[in-house]
Amino acid sequence: MAQNTLFLLPGDGIGVEIMAEVKKLIDHLNASGKTDFAYETGLVGGSAYDVHGVAISEADMEKALAADAVLFGAVGGPKWDNVPYEHRPEAGLLRLRKDLELFANLRPAICYSALADASSLKRELVEGLDILIVRELTGGVYFGEPKEITELGNGSKRAVDTQVYETYEIDRIARVAL
């Protein structure tokens, strides 16, 4: 069995707790002989900012690019609310998406009968719901330029984000969805 390399990025908050359980699962699967995963752990988000002053270091980006797969936890939290915009925890996630070309987000939405009454929507609207939402992650407002915030006076501001898509971006997400 060929060894595959995983790069684990727990991130912040619950991501750290989740990744601890992921490590246990990987270790169990490896010990059972069902898999042969080697893994290394890096920093992303607020935890990376605390250590390196950026949302993901160049060294960890290189490890992510070299790995067979990257497992990502979560980023952010109130501790980093006042971090400069370009270093905010979410910047690490956006960089990973862009550099790894992770353009498709698959979001299943399933409503189990036992939970239909827990929805804020009427039971008849959600019961039996089973759809997959395909969302584009690397074009449009994620990376559009220019980004602009203008002071309007009296404490008001105006923000502008440009949503730009090229043909290849539309084509590739449509192929995933269809």
Side-chain angles (χ1 to χ4, degrees):
M1 182 181 318
Q3 187 173 58
N4 292 302
T5 59
L6 306 175
F7 189 51
L8 311 182
L9 291 168
D12 310 313
I14 195 170
V16 176
E17 297 172 35
I18 292 168
M19 206 59 70
E21 299 306 311
V22 168
K23 286 180 183 180
K24 290 177 188 176
L25 178 60
I26 294 168
D27 291 341
H28 172 75
L29 291 171
N30 282 347
S32 72
K34 294 180 179 167
T35 61
D36 187 19
F37 293 126
Y39 64 87
E40 193 172 351
T41 302
L43 298 173
V44 68
S47 61
Y49 179 79
D50 289 346
V51 174
H52 302 292
V54 292
I56 188 165
S57 69
E58 290 303 320
D60 279 346
M61 237 2 266
E62 288 176 21
K63 290 175 186 175
L65 288 164
D68 291 310
V70 176
L71 301 181
F72 181 86
V75 293
K79 176 181 179 183
W80 302 283
D81 282 351
N82 296 316
V83 168
Y85 179 79
E86 65 275 8
H87 299 303
R88 69 199 188 287
E90 296 78 11
L93 172 58
L94 293 177
R95 171 118 189 252
L96 285 161
R97 286 179 182 168
K98 187 174 185 179
D99 290 6
L100 293 171
E101 298 182 27
L102 304 173
F103 65 90
N105 185 343
L106 307 179
R107 293 280 177 115
I110 299 170
C111 182
Y112 299 101
S113 292
L115 298 175
D117 290 324
S119 171
S120 58
L121 300 173
K122 294 179 182 175
R123 173 180 270 281
E124 57 268 20
L125 293 176
V126 297
E127 190 168 36
L129 179 75
D130 186 357
I131 63 172
L132 178 67
I133 297 167
V134 180
R135 183 174 154 218
E136 202 283 334
L137 288 177
T138 59
V141 295
Y142 281 113
F143 298 102
E145 295 293 338
K147 293 183 183 303
E148 175 185 342
I149 298 176
T150 306
E151 297 284 341
L152 299 175
N154 297 326
S156 294
K157 298 178 183 179
R158 177 179 45 233
V160 175
D161 280 326
T162 306
Q163 183 163 321
V164 177
Y165 287 98
E166 294 185 28
T167 303
Y168 81 93
E169 293 171 307
I170 295 166
D171 183 64
R172 68 184 183 183
I173 196 68
R175 287 182 186 278
V176 170
L178 301 172

